[in-house]
Amino acid sequence: VTRSSHSIDWAGPAREAARHLSCLVRLDTTNPPGNETAAARYVAGVLEAEGIGAQVLEPAPGRGSVIARVAGTGNKPAVLLLSHLDVVPATAAEWSADPFSGETRDGAVWGRGSLDCKGLTALWLTLIIHARRTGARFPRDLILAATADEEAGGSWGVRWLVENHFDLIDAPFCLNEGGGMTIQLNNRTYMTYQNSEKSVCWLKLQARGPAGHASIPIDENAVVLLAEAIAALGRTPLPVHLTETARGYIMGMAAAQPEPIRSGLGALLDERTAAEAVAALPIEPFYRNVLSAMLRNTASPTILRAGDKTNVIPSTASAEVDCRILPGQTPDSLRGEIAAILERALGPKGVARLEIEFPRSSLPTESPAQTEMTADIKAAVARHCPEAHLIPLMATGATDARYLRPKGMTVYGFWPLPPGVDVRGVHGVDERLPIPALEFGLKVLWDVLTAS
Ligand SMILES: [Zn+2]
């Protein structure tokens, strides 16, 4: 029999989670090189001390992941509790604390990885230990996986596990990083769960033209052609495609807003009016850009290369463009949209002097926005953060979920953080996780996992 979170005093478990988080932060798993094995062994050691079996798998020296399984009653489908052990680099000189000290200051655990994603590892670990000690049985089998290499593409972590040991992590559901934070819009609070991720499709453009002395300008200057192509891509919004997630997000947002924002958001739900409606929304420009990116494939020019002498017209000029694809769209459909813009801007003659290449692409992923798991999430959020409206979220970047969704797993990014937690430290400076946020996460996730 499991107890609801209300009958448990979470202060002790929250302190314990904070201690595990400090220990994990102190194990420097900056990727590259990673060295996640030490952290994987730490997690395995803590579990084994509680009588819970765990295995560390190491596909390459130092690149370990840890997996453990705890049987439930079987009343509900199993869930994979995923997190990653590697972190991005930190420049100590920019921080106000040592990024690998794991020190507690002002009620928060400081350090690289505290928000991305060792705090979540500490939560899963503490939940499983607490269930063991109290004799609680969950309705679901719980599989804990804390993995290597998320920050550099997952080749030594989830991707490797999917390709080599999928049976160890396979479950109908997975809870992961990438959602659960709260958003404020016009004084309304929303809590997110991430059920879809855009994917990357990098674009390389190379313009060609005759080289020559810059004292005699020519019409076919490669630099000018490239500039025209880039300006067209950067200034022309791609067509709107409404996904299930964008609909759920926008409808959830709108429902809690007063007029005129409510109708303004409502107008986004029609593909014919969405482009103008998003431009006219009376909200912060940053947030308008977020909404716009959720409605369409995108293309952001990022790198330009041309010439090395002021008095020489170069024969080539090149650019790189970071494109992102919506769920339901493909690299091919994006290529068609890009080609149409370039044709219109440059004409057939210009396009003939432009090489277009897509050196890297992957497929976007989306899990259903409404399932029995999201119903459990909704109930737990209503209990612990009644002011928050729960909405599905599409991430513009990708997590390891991209390897699991194509295998048929329903993955939700859901690490619940209470309103007010500053997440700017993710991949930034002074990353830290307040201990009350750990306590909040324990309560919400306990209720999600024990819901019968
Ligand atoms: Zn992460």
Side-chain angles (χ1 to χ4, degrees):
V1 176
T2 50
R3 298 184 297 162
S4 108
S5 65
H6 279 321
S7 59
I8 299 170
D9 179 2
W10 289 103
R15 277 194 303 274
E16 194 170 352
R19 192 167 52 73
H20 293 313
L21 174 55
S22 291
C23 292
L24 287 167
V25 167
R26 281 199 289 272
L27 298 165
D28 182 349
T29 53
T30 301
N31 185 9
N35 284 327
E36 298 92 342
T37 298
R41 290 219 176 100
Y42 173 84
V43 171
V46 171
L47 289 167
E48 276 155 12
E50 303 286 334
I52 301 163
Q55 55 177 319
V56 174
L57 292 102
E58 201 180 41
R63 310 308 306 270
S65 295
V66 58
I67 298 174
R69 187 170 195 123
V70 179
T73 63
N75 287 344
K76 286 195 160 192
V79 58
L80 173 66
L81 309 177
L82 184 63
S83 62
H84 63 86
L85 296 169
D86 61 318
V87 299
V88 295
T91 309
E94 296 169 353
W95 283 54
S96 28
D98 173 352
F100 297 100
S101 68
E103 72 180 85
T104 302
R105 192 197 286 183
D106 303 330
V109 178
W110 285 61
R112 175 58 87 222
S114 53
L115 288 165
D116 180 17
C117 166
K118 289 173 170 173
L120 185 57
T121 308
L123 282 181
W124 296 140
L125 184 59
T126 306
L127 279 173
I128 285 180
I129 291 170
H130 192 72
R132 178 70 160 206
R133 287 184 195 154
T134 58
R137 280 194 84 193
F138 290 80
R140 308 172 183 278
D141 283 8
L142 306 181
I143 305 166
L144 176 145
T147 58
D149 203 28
E150 192 273 345
E151 299 290 359
S155 303
W156 302 112
V158 170
R159 186 173 153 194
W160 182 83
L161 286 166
V162 164
E163 286 168 2
N164 295 279
H165 294 281
F166 185 57
D167 55 311
L168 296 179
I169 55 168
D170 186 15
F173 290 103
C174 168
L175 296 178
N176 183 29
E177 63 169 344
M181 46 287 187
T182 53
I183 299 174
Q184 295 277 336
L185 178 69
N186 187 32
N187 293 322
R188 271 61 173 184
T189 302
Y190 301 89
M191 187 175 285
T192 58
Y193 61 98
Q194 191 253 63
N195 65 313
S196 84
E197 297 179 356
K198 289 177 107 172
S199 68
V200 297
C201 185
W202 286 349
L203 164 63
K204 205 174 164 192
L205 296 172
Q206 185 159 50
R208 290 184 189 285
H213 198 283
S215 63
I216 304 169
I218 50 171
D219 285 344
E220 301 82 16
N221 187 327
V223 176
V224 176
L225 181 70
L226 183 77
E228 286 170 339
I230 287 299
L233 285 180
R235 296 272 178 228
T236 316
L238 294 173
V240 170
H241 307 281
L242 276 171
T243 64
E244 186 200 355
T245 305
R247 268 181 201 286
Y249 182 90
I250 291 163
M251 286 181 349
M253 281 252 156
Q257 291 292 330
E259 294 297 350
I261 297 181
R262 181 198 292 243
S263 324
L265 286 165
L268 299 182
L269 296 171
D270 183 335
E271 285 183 1
R272 291 162 306 179
T273 55
E276 279 156 42
V278 76
L281 269 179
I283 56 173
E284 278 175 65
F286 169 79
Y287 199 65
R288 208 182 297 135
N289 292 339
V290 171
L291 275 170
S292 176
M294 205 177 278
L295 296 174
R296 43 172 62 99
N297 301 324
T298 56
S300 290
T302 49
I303 296 177
L304 290 173
R305 288 192 192 91
D308 52 11
K309 268 186 170 320
T310 307
N311 61 357
V312 176
I313 296 171
S315 59
T316 63
S318 69
E320 291 177 31
V321 184
D322 178 287
C323 302
R324 304 275 161 152
I325 311 176
L326 284 172
Q329 302 289 305
T330 63
D332 277 340
S333 64
L334 171 79
R335 282 168 216 195
E337 293 178 356
I338 299 273
I341 290 173
L342 294 175
E343 287 272 350
R344 225 175 302 135
L346 311 177
K349 273 192 176 162
V351 169
R353 290 197 289 120
L354 197 65
E355 257 172 56
I356 304 169
E357 242 184 286
F358 291 89
R360 187 187 145 182
S361 67
S362 58
L363 287 174
T365 63
E366 187 167 44
S367 290
Q370 312 287 342
T371 60
E372 53 145 297
M373 181 65 84
T374 65
D376 292 346
I377 288 174
K378 191 165 186 180
V381 170
R383 196 170 308 139
H384 296 286
C385 193
E387 73 272 32
H389 305 266
L390 186 72
I391 53 174
L393 177 73
M394 177 194 303
T396 50
T399 69
D400 279 334
R402 77 185 118 157
Y403 300 117
L404 301 174
R405 290 192 180 120
K407 299 291 281 185
M409 292 173 68
T410 296
V411 185
Y412 296 119
F414 187 64
W415 169 1
L417 290 171
V421 173
D422 183 355
V423 295
R424 285 171 299 178
V426 173
H427 294 210
V429 298
D430 289 347
E431 183 178 355
R432 59 195 185 272
L433 178 62
I435 296 171
L438 280 168
E439 185 169 339
F440 178 84
L442 287 170
K443 286 183 201 172
V444 175
L445 292 169
W446 179 271
D447 282 351
V448 170
L449 296 173
T450 56
S452 50

